[in-house]
Amino acid sequence: MSRRIRVLRVQHSLVEPTNHALLDELQKFPDLEVRALCPAWGIESGNRREIQESAHEDITVARTLLTSHYATTFYVEKFGAMIRRFKPDIISVQEEPWSLAMAQAMALRRMSAPNAHLVFASAQNILKTYPFPFSVIERVAFRTAAGGFGCCEGVQDVVRAKGFAGPFEVAAMGLNPELFAYTKHGAVNAGGDFVMGYVGRLIEAKGVFTLLRALALVRGPVRLDMLGGGPAHDALLKEAAGLGVAGRVRILDPVPHAGVPRVMKEFDALVVPSETTPTWKEQFGRVIAEAFSMGLPVVGSDSGAVPEVIGDAGLVFPERNHKALAACLQSLIDNPELLRDLSAKGRARAMELFTWRKLAQQTRDLFLKIMGP
C-alpha cells in the first residue's frame, strides 16, 4: 500500500521500560506507523511495575480495572478514543485471545473501525478450556482475528488445535544485546567459586528445590546465587540447611529488569530447572536468551519450550532429575573448553534469534502478510 500501515498495539507489558525497545525498532520501518496503549501499572515477572505518561512518546497510558492479572485488565479510558482518532489498519492486542482486552478490542473495532484487522498474542502452550466468559471471548477471537503471535511452537500447536487457521508467527521474546552485554566465558570468575545462577520466581514449579539437591552433589568450590522472590523463599533456606549447603547459597532480592545484567555478570552458568505441572509448563524462558547474549552457558530442563530455546547452545536434562542436573553442572566445571564453546554458541544464537530487531522484523512480516499486496 502507498501509505504507512497504522498499527495500534495494546500491551500490558509496556509497563516494563526495557520492553519499549520493540516500539523503537518497529518505528524504523518506513511502512509502519505504530502507537501503543498500556495500563498505568501492571505485574511483570511477579513484581509491580508502574509507567509514567512521559515514558515514551508513542505510548498512551490509561487507567484500568482488574489490573493485577494481565488477562483481566480492562481499560476504562482512551482505548476507544485512540481507535477513532488513529484509525488503525491493525489492532494488535498483545494479550491472550481470551483476555478482556481482546474482548474490548473486538467490540470497539466493530463500532469504530470495522475494516481494521485484529491480531492476538499467546503464550499458552497447554490445551485448556476456560470458564465463561473467557471461553466465549477466545472462540470469537479465533473466528475474528486476522493473525497471531506465539512465543514457542507449543503455542502454535494449541491455537491450531482450537481452530485458528490464520497466519501465525512463532516469535521469541526480545532482548537488548547491549544491555545484556557479551563477556567471553571459559574459566571460573575471579574469586575462585564457580557461580551457578538462577533468575526467576521462587516457586516449586520453577525447579528450585531440584536445583538445591543438585548443588549438594556437585564437587568443588561451587556457589549458587538465586535472584528473585516468591513464596518458597523460607522453605528454600530450610532445605539448603538440611542438605548441608546453606553456606553455598545466596538468595538475592529482586531488581528491576534493567538491573538483572549487573547480577548475571557474576555468574559462570545459568540454570533453568523448570518443572511441568498439570496447568503450566515453561513457555519460553526469556532469561535463557538473556544469558546467551551475555555469553553465559545455560543448563535447562526439558520442560515446555526450554529445549527449543536452548537449541544446541546449552545443556538439557530431564526435569526433576537432580542427579542429571548435577552431572551437567559438573561437566561445565570440569571442562573449560565446553564452557568456552557454549559461551560462543549462546551469543551467536542470541544475536540470530532473540534481539528486538529480529522480533520487529517478524512482527512487520506478519503485518504485511495480513494487509496483502
Side-chain angles (χ1 to χ4, degrees), residues 315-331:
L315 303 179
V316 177
F317 69 96
E319 59 178 289
R320 295 185 173 85
N321 189 330
H322 69 283
K323 292 181 180 179
L325 172 54
C328 288
L329 294 169
Q330 197 71 57
S331 69

Side-chain angles (χ1 to χ4, degrees), residues 205-207 272-276 280 282 301-303 306 319-320:
K206 287 292 188 176
V272 184
S274 302
E275 298 175 355
T276 301
W280 178 87
E282 191 63 69
S301 75
D302 59 358
S303 173
V306 173
E319 59 178 289
R320 295 185 173 85

